[in-house]
Amino acid sequence: FQSSSSVKTYVDPHTYEDPNQAVREFTREIDPGHIIIESVIGGGEFGDVCKGKLRLPARPEMTVAIKTLKPGATDKNRMDFLTEASIMGQFDDPNVIFLEGVVTKGHPIMIATEYMANGSLDTFLRNNDGKFTVIQLIGMMRGIASGMRYLSEMGYVHRDLAARNILVNETLVCKVADFGLSREVDIDTTDGAYTTKGGKIPVRWTAPEAISFRKFTSASDVWSYGVVMWEVISYGERPYWNWSNQDVIKAVDKGYRLPPPMDCPEAIHQLMLDSWQKERSYRPKFMQIVKTLDKLIRAPELLRKIAKARPLHFPESMQTTITQFSRVEEWLVASRWNDTSNIFCTLVTLRWTK
Ligand SMILES: CCOCCCNC(=O)c1c(N)n(-c2ccccc2Cl)c2nc3ccccc3nc12
């Protein structure tokens, strides 16, 4: 059955009786003799990640990234490892990491994808702080939004959209990566916060409804996308800085939103705020986000107005709430803000606005 839109519908590999069936159906088996491993570039949850060459018959040799499954892995490890391939194998979009194929009939078991020479977006931006034009940064955002539009049209919800899960190729094209359960250890251990049910949620990138009652949808992916926009404009700054996860949840619930990074065009910060609407149905769709970014790229004069950075970004209503109280202590007690970092920030705000 072909859905109405030109894009086919994503099939969750977990719905297969025999998960190997999903691998056979959605991936291309590569003869291990066609893969040459050259070097180790990273450590994944299931084994080494390498750089290498793929020589397919009648195809030019290409550079690939190869995830390997460590010997002695359990069957569950093997299935979780190959689940990512079964998911990726269903996608074909210029802004989604492309699966070249898998090796399941030899050892080690391998997943081969296109090689993304500039690595993960967060590290790439931190290592190139201040080096790009606003138009280049918006071009990166546009690519990510376009990849997410394709995934959402396929009915795929990512759940972990963050700059660390975006890869950048040699021509600055950004592609969505990191699918399925096989999260890379070095990625999740820093940002996963355990939920009551033991699930790991990257709190500072996750929409309130997904944190509160695990309501993950493309609208919660749009919330995460807004945080990725903030990461891009701030060249890889950590969202909410060193605040604790609990403070982030409390502040966001009270209406606090990340302020515009330095030199951020007002139109871009407004798009972030639209993506961070509490009511998920009010958030823009990825299609709309792509159109808005295209309009801004085509009419750079719309980017000239720079957002004014205020120490803590509260909606207007919150500002009046603060000024209603005659004394700071009163407001702090009323708002039960008992954490020093919050008190400091609030005092800065009050000093600033008085
Ligand atoms: C600074 C230059 O760095 C170049 C790095 C190129 N890397 C890639 O193209 C990767 C790439 N294409 N993947 C990848 C993503 C999704 C599915 C499979 C793979 Cl191999 C990676 N998964 C990784 C997991 C842990 C650590 C590093 C990793 N690097 C890559």
Side-chain angles (χ1 to χ4, degrees), residues 177-323:
D178 200 350
F179 301 100
L181 293 172
S182 61
R183 296 278 187 263
E184 300 318 323
V185 176
D186 61 323
I187 285 178
D188 256 2
T189 41
T190 46
D191 288 307
Y194 282 95
T195 60
T196 47
K197 297 199 183 99
K200 281 182 85 172
I201 288 189
V203 160
R204 50 202 76 214
W205 282 267
T206 305
E209 72 274 7
I211 294 173
S212 305
F213 51 97
R214 304 172 73 79
K215 183 69 180 163
F216 286 93
T217 61
S218 288
S220 59
D221 277 350
V222 165
W223 176 292
S224 307
Y225 176 80
V227 180
V228 172
M229 290 178 73
W230 191 89
E231 291 184 277
V232 169
I233 287 286
S234 61
Y235 282 91
E237 174 68 83
R238 180 167 175 73
Y240 311 93
W241 309 282
N242 65 342
W243 293 11
S244 70
N245 283 329
Q246 276 317 310
D247 282 347
V248 171
I249 293 173
K250 264 191 293 189
V252 166
D253 187 50
K254 289 183 190 299
Y256 172 83
R257 293 295 183 268
L258 286 165
M262 192 167 62
D263 301 335
C264 176
E266 181 162 286
I268 292 293
H269 189 237
Q270 187 51 54
L271 194 49
M272 294 179 201
L273 295 175
D274 297 343
S275 305
W276 297 329
Q277 302 243 29
K278 187 165 187 64
E279 173 48 55
R280 66 175 182 275
S281 63
Y282 296 169
R283 296 170 201 157
K285 302 291 182 280
F286 281 113
M287 167 76 82
Q288 293 163 284
I289 293 171
V290 171
K291 285 183 177 154
T292 303
L293 294 175
D294 279 344
K295 198 178 67 180
L296 295 174
I297 289 167
R298 288 199 195 102
E301 66 277 7
L302 298 173
L303 296 167
R304 226 171 269 142
K305 193 163 177 353
I306 299 300
K308 47 182 185 307
R310 284 179 293 183
L312 274 179
H313 189 83
F314 285 90
E316 294 321 310
S317 58
M318 186 58 99
Q319 292 293 3
T320 49
T321 313
I322 292 176
T323 47

Side-chain angles (χ1 to χ4, degrees), residues 30-37 53-57 103 106 110:
I30 294 174
D31 177 332
H34 292 157
I35 289 192
I36 297 103
I37 289 187
K53 289 287 190 291
L54 173 61
R55 280 201 191 101
L56 291 175
V103 171
M110 294 185 251

Side-chain angles (χ1 to χ4, degrees), residues 41-44 49-50 64-67 84 88 97 99 111-120 127 167 177-179 184 186-187:
I41 55 174
V49 181
C50 306
V64 288
I66 304 146
K67 273 185 185 172
E84 179 173 26
M88 292 175 61
I97 195 85
L99 177 74
I111 295 176
T113 74
E114 58 182 314
Y115 184 77
M116 302 293 281
N118 281 308
S120 61
N127 294 341
L167 288 165
D178 200 350
F179 301 100
E184 300 318 323
D186 61 323
I187 285 178

